[in-house]
Amino acid sequence: MASSSNPGTLHELVLEHIAVDSRGTGGNVKSTCRHCNKTFTGSLTSQVAHISGRTGSGVAVCHELDEETAAAIQQHVQRLERIHSNSQASAATEKRPAEEGSSGSVAAAEQPASKKKRQPTIIEMITDKKAIDIAVAEFFSFSFPFFLFLSFFLYATGTPLHHVRSGWFKRMCKAISASYVPYNGPAHNALRTSLLQEVKDRVDDACAVWYKHGLDITGFVAVSDRWADAQSRPLLNMLLCSPKGHKFLKAIDTAGHEKSGQYIADQMTVVIEKVGAHNVTGVIMDGAANNVNASKIVEDRFPQIFCLHCTAHAVDLALEKIGGLDYFSGYIAEARRIVRLLTNHQSLSALFKSHTDLFLLKPGDTRFYTQYIAVRRLLRCKGAVQKTIVDDEFNAWTAKAKENKDKGRILKKAVLNSALWTALARFCMLLKPLVRLTRLVDSNMPTMSKVYAECCIIEKHIAASVLPEEVKTEVVSIFRERWDKMHSPLHSVGYMLEPQFQGTDFGTEVRTDFRETMKKLLPNSKDFKTAMAEYTKYSNREGVFGDPDIMSLTQEDSEHTVPTYQWWHDHGYETPTLARVAKRVTAMISSAGACERNWSTYDLSIARSATG
């Protein structure tokens, strides 16, 4: 029933429908709705939004209000906001002439000096300037107020919080005010207290949604990697991954412990048991010997979980080995020598840059496919390199000293060697599909259903290359050695459950992997038989699986590409048992790259003391 009262302020209106439990930090209070009993922490704006049905404030609206009461509340809110807006306009009109007419008056001089005007709080600004929240939320299609966006920016980029006291930061806020609406930026203390807590609460809410999605649909992949931080502490970090994102669980200081397979398996067991073994599909670590032993122990403890080796690391090791073959190693060493000479000498570097806008690259050892990156850039700069060695300034540089003359002779001999450029071009062409695979798996996207097909393409590409047969044999041997170490039956299952490969002749090995893995994932005999019967329906293109438009939705060149796990969630309703397995397998990542990115975030936010 609608209230018969006629509140004079928004605060009075709110108190009729919301009970204030306790006051929080800043302008926030802990409140409980008298209608839906929902408890939340927020400002007056959040309270008004909850009972008036407004979205974009970060608080869910009340769904227990009857239509009559909801309509009455909305009318009261509109009336009170209109009164507040008119009173502000009147005050501004009255104040302006008084200020303009009192500049030279004696009366004004006799008045006591007024106190410095207090800067409005964040909550007051947002309350009075609702347009800023609405406009920013619409622009970003997100429900965060502007000051929270700015807070997230400071926290996420590792910017020290004392920078908000900088004169440049204040000038930036003034520039924003001049082009939009007045805004002074968040206070330093609020960033360290109330805003930080509100951002944390929102992150916790997002994590809860992420976790529920993993439990209900995709399952999780546990990922682990070792690293040493700036203090040389040996750390072992644990992450939980799903298609919706990766969550850092913990970092273990392993100092004083033997990094054996047993120790690593014990740490991983704690994580799996905390999440629930039935919610974890796989565990990914690199291919170090102790990790291999740990994988065997984990699989023995949890028969339904698959342990995989990081695909990105395995392929990168294959790339390094291929670059070390006699056919390529000498030419790659020559390429490095050219890059070193043209970048380590200021005169040569300046001369080279006068012929191109590109820079020669010397990627660090921590990058994947470093040889490929450096060689490919050198090939792109081939014309500029050749122009450099025939330039008059180059001849003048070599004439300055005997050391320069020797280096110039070495550089000119290497650049004029046509066999070098031919070999480097073949090297890059050979590695192109391997680099593509590395880039594919070294991402946050699910790739389990793509790896097997990409490896088939790689073998065909090697066979079709223009390399001598003995070199091809060596390259194939290197790749298959790495494939044997990184291959998991899950690659075969993902391959057979990828819609774009429907109808492919998978072969005996892949089908055997599929059958054995389905038995492992579905230990109940009835479920296993049901899933296999459903796969027959899928492979025979029955029902929805015979619609070419639906089946093409996971192709990368499709205009409306959807992830494979999402495709099964949306279109696997005719085969529910098979779809349940398909969603979990095709939602898996294939590498431990999330750990590498986690360390980068750690360096940014911790090593730089971002919360200073």
Side-chain angles (χ1 to χ4, degrees), residues 246-377:
H246 307 324
K247 182 180 180 182
F248 170 77
L249 298 179
K250 62 179 179 178
I252 304 166
D253 187 348
T254 62
H257 297 278
E258 181 183 358
K259 287 72 173 176
S260 63
Q262 183 68 49
Y263 177 78
I264 296 173
D266 290 343
Q267 301 305 317
M268 183 58 72
T269 298
V270 174
V271 171
I272 293 173
E273 290 178 342
K274 182 177 181 180
V275 178
H278 59 286
N279 296 319
V280 178
T281 309
V283 172
I284 298 179
M285 296 179 279
D286 64 38
N290 53 355
N291 285 338
V292 173
N293 294 333
S295 298
K296 294 177 181 177
I297 296 172
V298 170
E299 287 186 337
D300 289 341
R301 292 176 179 175
F302 307 99
Q304 75 277 26
I305 293 179
F306 291 81
C307 291
L308 302 86
H309 301 312
C310 175
T311 303
H313 285 87
V315 177
D316 189 58
L317 291 173
L319 293 172
E320 290 182 8
K321 254 192 155 179
I322 293 171
L325 293 176
D326 293 339
Y327 185 81
F328 293 117
S329 59
Y331 293 118
I332 292 175
E334 282 291 302
R336 286 178 172 171
R337 187 177 295 114
I338 292 173
V339 173
R340 189 165 58 250
L341 287 171
L342 289 176
T343 56
N344 289 356
H345 297 273
Q346 294 183 3
S347 299
L348 287 184
S349 179
L351 180 58
F352 167 76
K353 291 175 183 177
S354 68
H355 296 293
T356 181
D357 294 330
L358 297 175
F359 292 89
L360 294 174
L361 301 178
K362 296 189 291 184
D365 292 337
T366 57
R367 292 285 304 275
F368 288 134
Y369 45 88
T370 54
Q371 294 176 338
Y372 176 84
I373 293 173
V375 170
R376 184 186 61 174
R377 175 54 61 88

Side-chain angles (χ1 to χ4, degrees), residues 473-484:
T473 302
E474 288 183 290
V475 173
V476 169
S477 176
I478 291 171
F479 180 71
R480 286 182 176 172
E481 177 188 1
R482 286 296 153 190
W483 169 249
D484 290 341

Side-chain angles (χ1 to χ4, degrees), residues 410-552:
I410 293 172
L411 178 60
K412 184 173 291 189
K413 181 181 178 181
V415 173
L416 296 178
N417 183 4
S418 60
L420 168 70
W421 300 105
T422 300
L424 295 181
R426 289 180 177 178
F427 177 74
C428 284
M429 184 59 66
L430 174 67
L431 297 190
K432 193 172 182 179
L434 283 88
V435 172
R436 169 185 158 84
L437 174 59
T438 306
R439 287 174 173 168
L440 175 69
V441 299
D442 187 34
S443 69
N444 292 334
M445 300 302 296
T447 54
M448 189 58 67
S449 62
K450 317 286 187 184
V451 173
Y452 200 103
E454 289 293 328
C455 290
C456 293
I457 292 173
I458 289 172
E459 288 209 347
K460 291 179 182 178
H461 178 81
I462 295 172
S465 66
V466 296
L467 297 172
E469 288 301 322
E470 61 273 15
V471 178
K472 288 184 186 179
T473 302
E474 288 183 290
V475 173
V476 169
S477 176
I478 291 171
F479 180 71
R480 286 182 176 172
E481 177 188 1
R482 286 296 153 190
W483 169 249
D484 290 341
K485 292 182 178 180
M486 73 180 183
H487 175 60
S488 166
L490 290 177
H491 291 130
S492 301
V493 176
Y495 184 32
M496 291 186 66
L497 293 176
E498 173 58 56
Q500 61 180 297
F501 303 135
Q502 185 192 39
T504 301
D505 182 11
F506 296 110
T508 304
E509 180 184 353
V510 174
R511 292 184 179 277
T512 301
D513 283 347
F514 180 80
R515 183 178 66 254
E516 295 302 321
T517 303
M518 293 297 287
K519 283 185 177 180
K520 188 173 180 179
L521 293 174
L522 298 170
N524 183 285
S525 177
K526 183 179 178 181
D527 290 342
F528 169 72
K529 292 177 181 178
T530 300
M532 296 304 287
E534 290 176 347
Y535 181 79
T536 300
K537 184 177 182 179
Y538 164 77
S539 61
N540 288 341
R541 304 177 189 274
E542 298 177 17
V544 69
F545 304 123
D547 187 332
D549 291 332
I550 296 298
M551 299 305 295
S552 65

Side-chain angles (χ1 to χ4, degrees), residues 63-137:
H63 295 291
E64 298 298 326
L65 288 167
D66 57 75
E67 294 183 2
E68 183 182 359
T69 304
I73 290 175
Q74 292 174 3
Q75 291 178 0
H76 283 313
V77 170
Q78 293 173 2
R79 175 179 61 81
L80 293 171
E81 288 180 341
R82 188 165 54 251
I83 293 173
H84 180 72
S85 177
N86 292 338
S87 64
Q88 280 191 321
S90 299
T93 303
E94 294 173 1
K95 181 179 180 181
R96 193 175 299 113
E99 290 177 343
E100 293 173 353
S102 63
S103 59
S105 67
V106 176
E110 293 176 350
Q111 293 178 356
S114 60
K115 295 183 179 179
K116 183 179 180 180
K117 183 180 179 181
R118 180 179 66 85
Q119 175 179 318
T121 66
I122 294 294
I123 300 302
E124 289 172 346
M125 279 190 284
I126 298 303
T127 302
D128 295 340
K129 303 293 184 180
K130 295 182 179 65
I132 188 171
D133 282 359
I134 296 171
V136 173

Side-chain angles (χ1 to χ4, degrees), residues 223-227 235-239 248 250-252 268 594-596 598-599:
V223 182
S224 178
D225 193 19
R226 288 174 295 158
W227 184 72
L235 301 178
L236 178 68
N237 71 339
M238 303 283 184
L239 276 72
F248 170 77
K250 62 179 179 178
I252 304 166
M268 183 58 72
C595 291
E596 303 288 346
N598 178 73
W599 293 132

